[in-house]
Amino acid sequence: MVATGSLSSKNPGSISQLLDHGFNPRSLLNDFDYWDYVVPEPNLNEVIFEETTCQSLVKMLENCLSKSKQTKLGCSKVLVPEKLTQRIAQDVLRLSSTEPCGLRGCVMLVNMEVENVCIKLDRIVCDSSVVPTFELTLVFKQENCSWTSFRDFFFSRGRFSSSLRRTLILSSGFRLVKKKLYSLIGTTVIEEC
């Protein structure tokens, strides 16, 4: 039923007009009952699978940062904001949900932006048995804290200086770029979080 402006609800005669035109108040309840049956209940197996997949992605990202801290980032510690890898994993799952193979068709390029320079950390293939259908480029960002660079300046002058003494603090912001690999349109989605 569609409401129109031809009847005035303040006019007591409008109710009788509605009844004369065939309005049945029970049809409103039937419409609500209809949606109870149409909207599916959440599938508990899918929710558990998605949570497991999300946790697996979180572990992959944390391992990538752990492996890269000494070899590519030249630091002894990487401080990650709480829930950052969880948010990234959820966004990756959301962006892969519209793809034909889902997350299995994803290749993720992980980068770190340090002082306006982008450092390649890793290339993660989610499922090597599937031909990739899209590419996600993840860019972690360094937190802009002046006190850390000031502290590192003093430590580098003393006898305790070491190239691996530096602590890298990640920002809570990141960039995800989705690029479809087999598309005639060649769409690219950029999300700045």
Side-chain angles (χ1 to χ4, degrees):
M1 172 166 185
V2 177
T4 62
S6 62
L7 295 174
S8 170
S9 61
K10 294 181 181 177
N11 183 357
S14 64
I15 295 174
S16 62
Q17 284 180 331
L18 283 173
L19 293 174
D20 291 342
H21 289 300
F23 172 74
N24 184 358
R26 291 183 181 207
S27 70
L28 189 59
L29 289 176
N30 290 340
D31 288 343
F32 287 124
D33 291 341
Y34 171 77
W35 288 109
D36 288 339
Y37 297 106
V38 172
V39 177
E41 289 291 322
N43 185 348
L44 189 57
N45 290 334
E46 283 182 24
V47 172
I48 292 171
F49 174 74
E50 186 171 313
E51 184 61 31
T52 304
T53 307
C54 189
Q55 290 306 317
S56 175
L57 271 172
V58 166
K59 290 291 180 202
M60 279 190 233
L61 292 171
E62 288 172 352
N63 287 339
C64 171
L65 289 170
S66 179
K67 285 188 316 187
S68 300
K69 69 182 176 185
Q70 291 182 350
T71 58
K72 297 181 181 173
L73 297 173
C75 61
S76 58
K77 292 182 186 175
V78 176
L79 298 180
V80 181
E82 187 178 5
K83 305 283 186 187
L84 175 65
T85 52
Q86 179 80 25
R87 282 187 14 237
I88 293 170
Q90 289 170 346
D91 282 349
V92 167
L93 286 175
R94 183 178 48 80
L95 288 172
S96 64
S97 67
T98 58
E99 292 299 317
C101 297
L103 185 63
R104 294 175 58 222
C106 177
V107 171
M108 193 177 339
L109 307 175
V110 183
N111 300 308
M112 173 74 71
E113 188 176 292
V114 179
E115 299 171 2
N116 296 327
V117 175
C118 202
I119 302 168
K120 294 180 183 182
L121 300 182
D122 204 356
R123 181 177 186 266
I124 300 172
V125 179
C126 293
D127 188 345
S128 59
S129 67
V130 176
V131 176
T133 58
F134 70 104
E135 179 182 274
L136 286 176
T137 303
L138 167 64
V139 181
F140 286 106
K141 296 181 179 183
Q142 179 183 16
E143 183 68 44
N144 292 327
C145 291
S146 59
W147 71 270
T148 55
S149 57
F150 189 64
R151 182 200 62 208
D152 290 339
F153 172 76
F154 280 113
F155 274 125
S156 67
R157 300 242 184 237
R159 61 184 169 152
F160 300 109
S161 67
S162 169
S163 62
L164 296 178
R165 187 148 179 104
R166 192 171 73 114
T167 299
L168 181 68
I169 302 173
L170 296 185
S171 167
S172 60
F174 61 92
R175 185 172 47 247
L176 260 179
V177 179
K178 177 181 176 180
K179 180 181 172 188
K180 293 187 179 237
L181 299 177
Y182 301 102
S183 176
L184 296 175
I185 302 170
T187 58
T188 300
V189 177
I190 300 173
E191 291 201 5
E192 190 92 21
C193 302

